[in-house]
């Protein structure tokens, strides 16, 4: 083997090792410092507002950070208060409405059992008696096996829920600790943002600074583009649902539309988490026309989401619609619902690294090509 091929192979192995070691180290460090990573992300997001208060309003930077953080806390507290108030109101409304709907459901189930299940059971019992002993034993064994599996699955599910309750309760003090550390770290990072930025830049080589600046600018653009795209999709979904519910004359249409818009954030499940059970219940309750109306509304929401999502992501993030669609599908097939978010994010990172020349630099290092 020629010597230069050996060197290329060794450099290739070295690059792979550095990437794997870097990702492993990053993961390990993040498990120890995630409150400060959260603080860094919050400080990055609020930095433009802090800059405006510092430069335009002539406010000291520390005071500007405190004002912004207090505003965010008040906003979150207000949203939580509104959500709790809405849940209380909705619970009171459901307490008066659900019993009537439940009574209708019980009557429907009684009629269904009397008209469908009992005749079917009699037919199956007649067929079962006509079978020989071996066939009857086989059927009974299969039924018992299915029953055992169902009972085991349900039992394990309930057991897991009960076992996780103490851990969830025990997580609350940990959450409070993380919240306090993140809040304090956000204040100090945001207050000394530019000093920390200059210190960090001094520690990096000029080549890394140049590539890092390009990567950071692209990722910043992609991040805000992604947030803008998701906000637009949620707004469109909420508006469509609101109009549809008003047409169907549903009570509390605005509240329900807002809830469905929030649920739309969930990957893949989205609005189906509300619409599917609602449609099934309406059909079972005998409200056929209402169930059809909800079904049509759900289909409209699904179609607009599937059509608009690749287009909005591509226009706001700067990705090709076909590449975005492929990233969504591949991400979903590899890691499930979370892949619908991870796929486009990885595509953005890959595109950013390519535009910043990182891949070309790595390739030049592997083949031993010197820069001009």
């Amino acid at each position: 083997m020629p010597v230069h091929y050996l060197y290329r192979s060794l450099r290739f192995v070295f690059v792979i090792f550095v990437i794997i070691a870097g990702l492993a180290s990053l993961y390990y460090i993040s498990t120890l410092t995630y409150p400060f990573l959260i603080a860094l992300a919050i400080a990055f997001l609020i930095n433009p507002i802090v800059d405006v208060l510092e430069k335009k309003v002539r406010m000291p930077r520390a005071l500007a950070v405190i004002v912004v953080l207090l505003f965010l806390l008040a906003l979150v507290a207000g949203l939580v208060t509104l959500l709790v108030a809405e849940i209380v109101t909705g619970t009171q409304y459901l307490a008066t409405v659900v019993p009537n709907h439940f009574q209708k459901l019980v009557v429907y189930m009684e009629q269904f059992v009397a008209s469908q299940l009992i005749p079917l059971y009699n037919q199956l019992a007649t067929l079962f008696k006509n079978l020989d002993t071996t066939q009857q034993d086989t059927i009974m064994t299969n039924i018992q096996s299915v029953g055992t599996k169902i009972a085991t699955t349900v039992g394990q599910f309930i057991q897991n829920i009960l076992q996780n309750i103490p851990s969830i309760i025990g997580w609350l003090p940990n959450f409070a600790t993380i919240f306090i550390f993140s809040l304090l770290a956000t204040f100090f990072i945001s207050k000394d943002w530019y000093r920390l930025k200059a210190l960090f830049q001094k520690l990096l080589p000029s080549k890394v600074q140049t590539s890092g600046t390009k990567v950071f600018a692209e990722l910043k653009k992609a991040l805000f583009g992604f947030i803008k795209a998701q906000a637009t999709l949620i707004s469109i979904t909420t508006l469509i649902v609101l109009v549809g519910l008003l047409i169907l004359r549903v009570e509390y249409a605005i509240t329900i539309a807002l809830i469905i818009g929030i649920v739309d954030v969930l990957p893949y499940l989205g609005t189906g988490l509300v619409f599917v059970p609602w449609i099934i219940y309406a059909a079972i309750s005998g409200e056929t026309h209402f169930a059809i109306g909800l079904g049509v509304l759900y289909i409209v929401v699904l179609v607009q989401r599937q059509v608009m999502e690749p287009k909005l992501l591509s226009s706001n993030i700067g990705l090709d619609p076909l590449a975005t669609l492929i990233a969504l599908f591949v991400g979903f097939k590899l890691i499930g619902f979370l892949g619908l978010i991870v796929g486009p994010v990885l595509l953005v990172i890959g595109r950013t690294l390519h535009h910043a020349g990182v891949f070309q630099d790595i390739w030049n290092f592997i083949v031993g090509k010197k820069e001009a």
Side-chain angles (χ1 to χ4, degrees), residues 215 218-219 222-223 226 309-310 313-315 317-331 339-355 359:
V215 172
E218 289 284 341
L219 289 179
L223 173 63
F226 182 79
E309 185 170 18
L313 287 176
S314 62
S315 60
I317 302 179
L319 297 176
D320 181 81
L322 179 60
T324 306
L325 193 62
I326 294 173
L328 289 169
F329 180 77
V330 173
L340 295 175
I341 296 177
V342 175
V345 170
L346 292 179
L347 183 61
V348 168
I349 294 174
R351 172 181 173 273
T352 302
L353 295 176
H354 172 69
H355 285 180
F359 292 144

Side-chain angles (χ1 to χ4, degrees), residues 14-284:
F14 175 75
V15 168
I16 298 299
F17 172 78
V18 169
I19 292 174
I20 296 175
L23 291 176
S25 301
L26 184 62
Y27 173 77
Y28 177 73
I29 294 173
S30 65
T31 59
L32 299 176
T33 61
Y34 60 91
F36 304 98
L37 296 177
I38 295 173
L40 180 62
I42 297 175
F44 169 72
L45 292 175
I46 68 173
N47 188 61
I49 304 175
V50 174
D51 286 344
V52 170
L53 293 178
E54 181 185 15
K55 297 176 181 178
K56 302 294 184 181
V57 188
R58 303 293 182 181
M59 188 181 294
R61 188 168 183 85
L63 181 60
V65 174
I66 293 175
V67 170
V68 174
L69 288 178
L70 289 177
F71 174 77
L72 287 178
L73 290 175
L75 180 62
V76 172
L79 291 176
V80 171
T81 302
L82 290 175
L83 181 61
V84 172
E86 185 59 38
I87 290 174
V88 172
T89 305
T91 303
Q92 293 174 350
Y93 171 74
L94 292 175
T96 59
V97 172
V98 168
N100 296 329
H101 288 297
F102 185 74
Q103 186 64 33
K104 292 181 182 179
L105 181 61
V106 171
V107 172
Y108 173 81
M109 293 300 296
E110 291 175 351
Q111 295 175 351
F112 180 76
V113 170
S115 62
Q116 301 293 332
L117 294 184
I118 292 178
L120 179 61
Y121 171 77
N122 293 330
Q123 294 177 6
L124 292 176
T126 303
L127 292 174
F128 183 77
K129 291 178 181 179
N130 293 331
L131 298 175
D132 56 45
T133 306
T134 304
Q135 292 174 327
Q136 291 180 2
D137 292 340
T138 302
I139 292 175
M140 292 302 298
T141 301
N142 291 331
I143 292 175
Q144 292 174 356
S145 177
V146 171
T148 302
K149 289 181 180 179
I150 293 175
T152 302
T153 303
V154 173
Q156 289 178 348
F157 177 74
I158 296 174
Q159 184 180 10
N160 291 333
I161 292 177
L162 294 177
Q163 288 177 346
N164 287 329
I165 290 177
S167 62
I168 294 174
I169 296 175
W171 183 76
L172 293 177
N174 185 44
F175 173 77
T177 303
I178 294 171
F179 176 77
I180 293 174
F181 272 92
S182 297
L183 189 63
L184 292 174
T186 301
F187 170 75
F188 289 115
I189 292 174
S190 182
K191 183 176 71 71
D192 299 325
W193 178 265
Y194 292 103
R195 184 180 66 82
L196 294 174
K197 182 179 178 181
L199 178 62
F200 185 72
Q201 288 177 343
K202 289 180 180 179
L203 299 176
L204 295 177
S206 58
K207 177 62 179 176
V208 176
Q209 286 188 35
T210 303
S211 300
T213 302
K214 293 180 181 179
V215 172
F216 181 77
E218 289 284 341
L219 289 179
K220 181 180 178 181
K221 177 183 176 183
L223 173 63
F224 286 104
F226 182 79
I227 295 174
K228 180 182 177 181
Q230 292 299 326
T232 304
L233 287 170
I234 293 171
S235 301
I236 294 174
T237 298
T238 303
L239 182 60
I240 293 175
V241 171
L242 177 60
V243 173
L245 294 181
L246 290 176
I247 293 175
L248 295 173
R249 297 181 179 178
V250 176
E251 295 186 53
Y252 296 96
I254 296 177
T255 302
I256 296 173
L258 290 174
I259 293 174
I260 292 177
I262 295 173
V263 173
D264 193 38
V265 177
L266 297 175
Y268 195 73
L269 289 176
T271 55
L273 200 62
V274 176
F275 272 114
V276 172
W278 198 1
I279 293 170
I280 294 174
Y281 176 78
I284 290 176

